[in-house]
Amino acid sequence: MPQLSTPANILLSLRRALLAGVMLLFSGLIAGCDLLEFSPNETRAPKEYRDLTRKNLEALQARPNPTGGDTVRFVFIGDSQRFYEEAEAFVQSVNRQRNIAFVAISGDISDFGLIRELRWVHDRLKHLDVPYLTVVGNHDLVANGREAYQRVYGPLNYSFEYGSTRFVFVDTNGREYGFNGRVPDVPWLQQTLAAPAPGIRRQVVMSHVPPHDEDFDKQLETSYVQTLSGPNTPPVAFELNGHKHDFGIGQPYENGLTFINSYSFEKRQYVVLTVWGEKEFKLDTVQY
C-alpha cells in the first residue's frame, strides 16, 4: 500500500535531508581540518602560515642587497598586536620606500598569544614587497603562545647574515619564564657573536625586552650587556628593542653601546635604519 504524503511525513523527509546535508558539510570541514579551530588556544596552522621565518629568510637571501656595497637599509618597528588597520597602512607606506632590504619587527606580534592573531597579522604583512622578520615578544608567550609562535614563525633565537651584517635575534622575555636565569640564553648569544662569517663588518642584535627594563631577568643583565659590548669582532653596532611602544635612543650603560627602541604600530611611525662601516648608522622616521 503506497505511503501517503502527509504533512508529518514531508516534515520528516525534510529533517532527514537537512541532517544529511549538515553531516556532509561537517565531513568536508573535518577533511579540511585547518579550517576548524576547536579552542582559542589552538596551535595548529595551515601550511601557508607555518615556518614563516625560514621562508622570509630564504626570500631575503634570494634578493640582492638593494643598496649595494657594505651598506644595508631596513625598516624597524615593533608591537603589531591588535593594530590591524595600522598594519595595512604600514604595508602601503613601506612599499613606497626605496632600497629597503627587509622589515624587522621587534616582538609582540600578537596580543594574547593566539595563533589566530599571528595569522591575522601575517595576512596583512604578506603584502609587503620585502621579507619581514620577527623576534618573539612577551605577549607572544602568553598561554600557548610559545608553541603558536614557534609553529607560525620558528625559532625563538636565530641569526642570519645579509649586507655585510650579522643580525642576531634573541628571546629576552625573562618574566615569562619566571626569571629562571636562562632567558636570554647568554651562552648562545656569546657563541653566536663570536663566530661571524668572513666579510661581516658589524653585528646587530634585536630583542623585545631591553636589558634595563623590569621585565628583563636582572640575574642576566650584566652578563648580557657585557656580551654585547665586549671585544666582539666585528663589533655590535647597536641593540634594537620593542616593548615600550615608543621610539627611544640612548646609551644607558657606560660602555658606548647604543640601544634603539621601536615605535609600535599604533604610533603610525617607523624607523628606516641605514647601516655601514663598523658602527655607522643613520635614522629616518617615517609617518604613515
Side-chain angles (χ1 to χ4, degrees):
M1 183 174 181
Q3 187 175 5
L4 296 177
S5 298
T6 65
N9 288 337
I10 293 172
L11 213 59
L12 184 60
S13 298
L14 287 173
R15 182 180 176 184
R16 287 172 177 166
L18 181 60
L19 183 59
V22 170
M23 292 302 295
L24 182 63
L25 176 62
F26 185 74
S27 298
L29 288 173
I30 290 295
C33 61
D34 282 335
L35 299 176
L36 289 178
E37 186 178 88
F38 296 101
S39 163
N41 291 321
E42 178 66 70
T43 58
R44 296 173 307 152
K47 185 177 181 180
E48 62 268 28
Y49 294 97
R50 295 199 297 264
D51 261 346
L52 297 183
T53 296
R54 177 183 60 79
K55 293 173 182 175
N56 276 295
L57 282 175
E58 289 175 353
L60 178 63
Q61 298 300 337
R63 294 167 53 89
N65 183 1
T67 58
D70 84 329
T71 300
V72 63
R73 192 165 185 251
F74 63 97
V75 166
F76 173 51
I77 194 170
D79 301 84
S80 57
Q81 294 176 296
R82 288 174 288 172
F83 309 121
Y84 302 118
E85 290 184 7
E86 290 83 353
E88 292 175 0
F90 168 74
V91 168
Q92 294 172 10
S93 176
V94 171
N95 287 346
R96 291 193 292 268
Q97 299 298 317
R98 299 182 60 187
N99 297 327
I100 299 296
F102 65 94
V103 171
I105 303 178
S106 59
D108 278 2
I109 315 307
S110 67
D111 202 13
F112 302 105
L114 302 178
I115 204 162
R116 67 176 76 172
E117 295 178 295
L118 300 177
R119 290 173 58 174
W120 289 340
V121 170
H122 177 64
D123 282 340
R124 277 76 176 172
L125 299 184
K126 68 183 181 183
H127 297 294
L128 286 164
D129 290 340
V130 296
Y132 77 94
L133 296 158
T134 69
V135 72
V136 67
N138 62 309
H139 281 257
D140 301 319
L141 296 171
V142 174
N144 290 341
R146 180 178 180 181
E147 184 179 348
Y149 181 91
Q150 290 175 308
R151 179 67 57 86
V152 172
Y153 286 102
L156 305 180
N157 298 321
Y158 66 99
S159 67
F160 64 95
E161 295 170 346
Y162 187 83
S164 302
T165 310
R166 163 163 278 187
F167 293 90
V168 182
F169 289 8
V170 59
D171 179 2
T172 59
N173 303 288
R175 184 178 295 278
E176 274 53 53
Y177 297 89
F179 298 129
N180 62 8
R182 297 194 296 272
V183 176
D185 187 340
V186 175
W188 175 86
L189 181 63
Q190 291 170 339
Q191 183 178 11
T192 302
L193 292 175
I200 298 302
R201 299 202 61 191
R202 69 239 148 203
Q203 304 190 75
V204 171
V205 176
M206 186 170 81
S207 66
H208 182 64
V209 176
H212 44 283
D213 189 273
E214 63 182 6
D215 292 327
F216 193 96
D217 192 336
K218 291 305 170 187
Q219 305 173 76
L220 299 171
E221 180 180 1
T222 298
S223 60
Y224 181 81
V225 172
Q226 286 178 345
T227 297
L228 296 182
S229 58
N232 300 300
T233 306
V236 174
F238 45 74
E239 208 236 20
L240 303 174
N241 301 114
H243 195 51
K244 295 180 179 297
H245 285 232
D246 210 348
F247 175 78
I249 183 169
Q251 296 182 353
Y253 304 94
E254 295 180 0
N255 58 8
L257 181 63
T258 299
F259 288 78
I260 305 172
N261 210 86
S262 63
Y263 291 107
S264 66
F265 276 63
E266 67 181 314
K267 300 296 184 182
R268 288 185 172 265
Q269 297 183 82
Y270 58 86
V271 166
V272 176
L273 265 165
T274 306
V275 191
W276 69 95
E278 286 195 343
K279 300 185 73 170
E280 301 299 317
F281 65 91
K282 176 176 178 288
L283 293 168
D284 294 292
T285 298
V286 178
Q287 296 182 341
Y288 63 93

